[in-house]
Short mmCIF file of all heavy atoms in Angstrom, two decimals:
data_model
loop_
_atom_site.label_atom_id
_atom_site.label_comp_id
_atom_site.label_asym_id
_atom_site.label_seq_id
_atom_site.Cartn_x
_atom_site.Cartn_y
_atom_site.Cartn_z
N VAL V 279 5.77 -33.96 -3.00
CA VAL V 279 5.09 -35.10 -2.40
C VAL V 279 5.94 -36.13 -1.80
O VAL V 279 6.83 -36.57 -2.50
CB VAL V 279 4.15 -35.75 -3.60
CG1 VAL V 279 3.38 -36.95 -3.07
CG2 VAL V 279 3.19 -34.71 -4.06
N GLY V 280 5.74 -36.54 -0.59
CA GLY V 280 6.51 -37.50 0.08
C GLY V 280 7.95 -37.09 0.20
O GLY V 280 8.84 -37.95 0.09
N GLY V 281 8.17 -35.91 0.34
CA GLY V 281 9.59 -35.42 0.48
C GLY V 281 10.33 -35.25 -0.88
O GLY V 281 11.39 -34.81 -0.97
N GLN V 282 9.62 -35.50 -2.02
CA GLN V 282 10.21 -35.34 -3.36
C GLN V 282 9.66 -34.26 -4.09
O GLN V 282 8.37 -34.02 -4.11
CB GLN V 282 9.95 -36.62 -4.10
CG GLN V 282 10.55 -37.91 -3.50
CD GLN V 282 10.17 -39.12 -4.42
OE1 GLN V 282 10.31 -39.26 -5.57
NE2 GLN V 282 9.71 -40.14 -3.67
N THR V 283 10.40 -33.41 -4.67
CA THR V 283 9.89 -32.23 -5.49
C THR V 283 9.39 -32.82 -6.83
O THR V 283 10.24 -33.50 -7.58
CB THR V 283 11.05 -31.22 -5.77
OG1 THR V 283 11.47 -30.60 -4.46
CG2 THR V 283 10.56 -30.09 -6.61
N VAL V 284 8.15 -32.60 -7.05
CA VAL V 284 7.49 -33.32 -8.23
C VAL V 284 7.49 -32.25 -9.38
O VAL V 284 7.70 -32.59 -10.55
CB VAL V 284 6.12 -33.72 -7.94
CG1 VAL V 284 5.45 -34.42 -9.12
CG2 VAL V 284 6.17 -34.76 -6.79
N ALA V 285 7.20 -30.93 -8.98
CA ALA V 285 7.09 -30.01 -10.16
C ALA V 285 7.48 -28.59 -9.59
O ALA V 285 7.22 -28.33 -8.35
CB ALA V 285 5.64 -29.99 -10.58
N THR V 286 8.03 -27.78 -10.37
CA THR V 286 8.28 -26.41 -10.06
C THR V 286 7.86 -25.45 -11.16
O THR V 286 7.72 -25.96 -12.32
CB THR V 286 9.71 -26.22 -9.76
OG1 THR V 286 10.48 -26.54 -10.99
CG2 THR V 286 10.25 -27.08 -8.65
N ALA V 287 7.59 -24.20 -10.85
CA ALA V 287 7.25 -23.19 -11.82
C ALA V 287 7.80 -21.88 -11.35
O ALA V 287 7.73 -21.55 -10.25
CB ALA V 287 5.76 -23.08 -12.07
N GLN V 288 8.51 -21.31 -12.27
CA GLN V 288 9.10 -20.00 -11.93
C GLN V 288 8.78 -19.01 -13.13
O GLN V 288 8.79 -19.47 -14.24
CB GLN V 288 10.65 -20.06 -11.84
CG GLN V 288 11.09 -20.84 -10.56
CD GLN V 288 12.61 -20.91 -10.41
OE1 GLN V 288 13.29 -21.16 -11.47
NE2 GLN V 288 13.11 -20.72 -9.30
N GLY V 289 8.54 -17.77 -12.87
CA GLY V 289 8.34 -16.80 -13.88
C GLY V 289 7.70 -15.59 -13.27
O GLY V 289 7.70 -15.33 -12.11
N SER V 290 7.09 -14.85 -14.20
CA SER V 290 6.44 -13.60 -13.75
C SER V 290 5.19 -13.39 -14.56
O SER V 290 5.09 -14.06 -15.67
CB SER V 290 7.28 -12.39 -14.04
OG SER V 290 7.69 -12.22 -15.42
N VAL V 291 4.32 -12.72 -14.07
CA VAL V 291 2.94 -12.47 -14.62
C VAL V 291 2.87 -10.92 -14.64
O VAL V 291 3.04 -10.22 -13.67
CB VAL V 291 1.91 -13.19 -13.96
CG1 VAL V 291 1.75 -12.90 -12.42
CG2 VAL V 291 0.57 -13.00 -14.62
N GLN V 292 2.39 -10.38 -15.76
CA GLN V 292 2.27 -8.96 -15.94
C GLN V 292 1.19 -8.44 -15.08
O GLN V 292 0.22 -9.11 -14.88
CB GLN V 292 2.11 -8.57 -17.45
CG GLN V 292 3.46 -8.86 -18.28
CD GLN V 292 3.25 -8.32 -19.63
OE1 GLN V 292 2.18 -8.13 -20.10
NE2 GLN V 292 4.38 -8.03 -20.29
N VAL V 293 1.24 -7.16 -14.82
CA VAL V 293 0.15 -6.45 -14.00
C VAL V 293 -1.10 -6.54 -14.79
O VAL V 293 -1.20 -6.35 -16.07
CB VAL V 293 0.53 -5.00 -13.87
CG1 VAL V 293 -0.67 -4.27 -13.10
CG2 VAL V 293 1.74 -4.89 -12.86
N GLY V 294 -2.28 -7.00 -14.11
CA GLY V 294 -3.55 -7.18 -14.78
C GLY V 294 -3.72 -8.42 -15.40
O GLY V 294 -4.80 -8.64 -16.01
N GLN V 295 -2.64 -9.25 -15.42
CA GLN V 295 -2.69 -10.66 -16.10
C GLN V 295 -2.77 -11.74 -15.08
O GLN V 295 -2.61 -11.64 -13.88
CB GLN V 295 -1.56 -10.80 -17.04
CG GLN V 295 -1.43 -9.71 -18.00
CD GLN V 295 -2.55 -9.55 -19.01
OE1 GLN V 295 -3.03 -10.53 -19.56
NE2 GLN V 295 -3.08 -8.32 -19.22
#
Side-chain angles (χ1 to χ4, degrees):
Chain V
V279 176
Q282 300 175 51
T283 297
V284 181
T286 59
Q288 291 179 318
S290 61
V291 56
Q292 292 186 335
V293 175
Q295 304 297 311

